[in-house]
Amino acid sequence: MPRVSIVVPIYNEEENVTNLYGEVSSVVDKARLDAEFIFVDDGSSDRSVEILAKVASADKRVKIVSFRRNFGQTAAMAAGFDYAEGEIIVTLDGDLQNDPAEIPRMIEKLDEGYDLVAGWRKNRQDRMLSRKLPSMIANRIISRTTRVQLHDYGCTLKVMRSEVGKQLSMYGEMHRFIPALAAEQGVRIAEIPVNHRARVAGTSKYGISRTFRVLLDLLTVKFFLGYSTRPLHMFGTLGFASGGLGSVMLFVLAVQRLFFSVPLGNRPVLLLAAMLVLIGLQFFCFGLLAEILVRTYHESQDKKIYAVREVIRCGTDGDTGERKDRRLVRAA
């Protein structure tokens, strides 16, 4: 069983896969890491898989997982996690912009007691308007929304313990939210600056339009982080706000009508107040339905609502009578 599993999503990178394999294997050999390489082909339409298979044909450490079609980087990450056998999972892009030489240093940081180490492209080698500026804005929004403060959510270069990666449920563009999703399990997260290189071959698969998809996924992440086990708290809050405002407006209108003989038939505010009360009731109904769905989801899959880091059994040594602590499992 390898100690390190290096997961690399590939999509139309035929010009880079040869150098990519060479750099990754060179870093692993130099650092004497017991590692496996998992290249996940996300439905490439070029010769990426064919070229990679040839250059890695004599290396038993290589696994190539090829999709039937393009499912996206998140799906490729999830597949890599599923096929990983190491106790540590490393993720990096297949375009050579992430520097594989940073892997040993990040593993050393992980061994200091962290569960996930994220890379920070402090000196990012990308265009300002189309890549760096949208990323800076998105990182600040994500950090404030998820309350997991990182400089660079978009950096694929990450190192994490296997049990952290395998417990993640990812959809859409959620691979960039891995630290926020992992934080829900109570993991210890560190971030260190890493070298970032300009793309020298191939074309980028991302544009500014991706930012809007990320922001939409952020809403989903925020809901799951805060209300996945108590959705009525969110819908109930909205229901109280809407219904309360509508009730106050109806009370004021009733007082005006009963005590001051103010006609209400031609006042649109009456209709608005009634709609707010009805919307509030609908929010309560949505919350109750969501509670039923959440309970069904957790109970049908026997899914726990907590994550255990380790179990310590306290006892005594039969020979000396001294107390001993035995750490039975790490992250159940």
Side-chain angles (χ1 to χ4, degrees), residues 5 7 38 40 65 67 75-85 89 166:
S5 297
V7 177
I38 303 175
V40 184
V65 181
F67 286 174
M77 288 280 195
F81 293 169
D82 289 339
Y83 281 89
E85 298 182 5
I89 296 177
K166 288 183 177 294

Side-chain angles (χ1 to χ4, degrees), residues 31-64:
R32 296 182 179 179
L33 293 175
D34 184 12
E36 65 174 352
F37 311 143
I38 303 175
F39 296 95
V40 184
D41 173 57
D42 188 19
S44 296
S45 57
D46 62 3
R47 298 174 59 244
S48 295
V49 175
E50 179 184 345
I51 296 173
L52 183 61
K54 286 182 179 179
V55 298
S57 58
D59 194 339
K60 296 181 179 179
R61 299 172 297 179
V62 175
K63 293 180 183 177
I64 301 176

Side-chain angles (χ1 to χ4, degrees), residues 213-230:
R213 299 197 300 271
V214 170
L215 293 177
L216 291 175
D217 280 329
L218 177 60
L219 297 177
T220 303
V221 171
K222 177 60 177 176
F223 174 79
F224 277 103
L225 291 180
Y227 303 102
S228 62
T229 58
R230 48 190 177 91

Side-chain angles (χ1 to χ4, degrees), residues 73 93 95 131 173 175 203-208 210 213:
Q73 189 171 357
D93 279 329
D95 55 10
R131 300 296 297 275
E173 298 281 347
H175 64 276
T203 58
S204 175
K205 314 304 185 296
Y206 305 117
I208 194 170
R210 188 180 182 218
R213 299 197 300 271

Side-chain angles (χ1 to χ4, degrees), residues 309-318 322-330:
R309 184 185 305 280
E310 59 188 0
V311 176
I312 303 174
R313 179 175 295 173
C314 299
T316 58
D317 190 320
E322 295 180 353
R323 172 174 172 152
K324 279 192 172 183
D325 292 345
R326 289 188 294 158
R327 300 177 184 269
L328 300 181
V329 297
R330 182 178 182 86

Side-chain angles (χ1 to χ4, degrees), residues 247-264:
S247 298
V248 170
M249 294 173 63
L250 287 176
F251 177 77
V252 172
L253 292 173
V255 170
Q256 291 178 344
R257 182 67 183 90
L258 294 175
F259 297 100
F260 300 99
S261 301
V262 177
L264 302 179

Side-chain angles (χ1 to χ4, degrees), residues 17-309:
V17 290
T18 301
N19 292 333
L20 173 65
Y21 166 75
E23 284 196 29
V24 174
S25 59
S26 175
V27 168
V28 168
D29 292 340
K30 185 177 180 181
R32 296 182 179 179
L33 293 175
D34 184 12
E36 65 174 352
F37 311 143
I38 303 175
F39 296 95
V40 184
D41 173 57
D42 188 19
S44 296
S45 57
D46 62 3
R47 298 174 59 244
S48 295
V49 175
E50 179 184 345
I51 296 173
L52 183 61
K54 286 182 179 179
V55 298
S57 58
D59 194 339
K60 296 181 179 179
R61 299 172 297 179
V62 175
K63 293 180 183 177
I64 301 176
V65 181
S66 184
F67 286 174
R68 293 180 182 273
R69 64 172 179 84
N70 179 247
F71 287 94
Q73 189 171 357
T74 297
M77 288 280 195
F81 293 169
D82 289 339
Y83 281 89
E85 298 182 5
E87 61 186 66
I88 295 175
I89 296 177
V90 179
T91 62
L92 73 157
D93 279 329
D95 55 10
L96 288 175
Q97 290 194 262
N98 295 144
D99 190 350
E102 300 285 357
I103 294 175
R105 188 166 65 93
M106 297 180 74
I107 293 177
E108 290 178 1
K109 186 68 176 179
L110 189 79
D111 288 337
E112 292 179 8
Y114 294 99
D115 299 301
L116 187 151
V117 178
W120 170 21
R121 297 167 294 183
K122 192 172 183 179
N123 297 312
R124 184 173 177 178
Q125 304 299 310
D126 280 321
R127 297 175 182 173
M128 173 58 74
L129 293 180
S130 62
R131 300 296 297 275
K132 295 173 67 174
L133 182 60
S135 180
M136 291 169 59
I137 297 173
N139 286 323
R140 291 188 179 182
I141 294 175
I142 295 171
S143 293
R144 290 178 66 90
T145 303
T146 63
R147 297 182 181 179
V148 180
Q149 301 296 323
L150 293 179
H151 294 89
D152 191 357
Y153 269 87
C155 182
T156 304
L157 183 56
K158 294 180 178 69
V159 175
M160 69 194 77
R161 303 197 181 277
S162 177
E163 60 268 17
V164 173
K166 288 183 177 294
Q167 289 180 1
L168 296 177
S169 297
M170 299 186 297
Y171 311 92
E173 298 281 347
M174 289 189 183
H175 64 276
R176 67 168 53 240
F177 299 111
I178 286 177
L181 295 172
E184 186 183 18
Q185 304 175 16
V187 305
R188 291 165 291 197
I189 300 175
E191 183 182 39
I192 62 175
V194 295
N195 182 39
H196 186 250
R197 305 179 295 194
R199 176 184 276 272
V200 295
T203 58
S204 175
K205 314 304 185 296
Y206 305 117
I208 194 170
S209 61
R210 188 180 182 218
T211 304
F212 300 103
R213 299 197 300 271
V214 170
L215 293 177
L216 291 175
D217 280 329
L218 177 60
L219 297 177
T220 303
V221 171
K222 177 60 177 176
F223 174 79
F224 277 103
L225 291 180
Y227 303 102
S228 62
T229 58
R230 48 190 177 91
L232 186 59
H233 287 201
M234 185 189 77
F235 289 106
T237 301
L238 296 174
F240 272 121
S242 177
L245 179 59
S247 298
V248 170
M249 294 173 63
L250 287 176
F251 177 77
V252 172
L253 292 173
V255 170
Q256 291 178 344
R257 182 67 183 90
L258 294 175
F259 297 100
F260 300 99
S261 301
V262 177
L264 302 179
N266 60 346
R267 300 186 65 181
V269 69
L270 176 63
L271 181 59
L272 174 61
M275 288 180 60
L276 288 174
V277 172
L278 291 175
I279 291 173
L281 292 174
Q282 287 181 328
F283 274 126
F284 280 117
C285 292
F286 289 153
L288 292 173
L289 291 174
E291 287 282 346
I292 295 173
L293 291 173
V294 165
R295 293 176 188 273
T296 302
Y297 170 71
H298 284 280
E299 293 176 6
S300 64
Q301 301 188 33
D302 194 24
K303 186 176 178 64
K304 305 298 183 184
I305 59 173
Y306 58 85
V308 177
R309 184 185 305 280

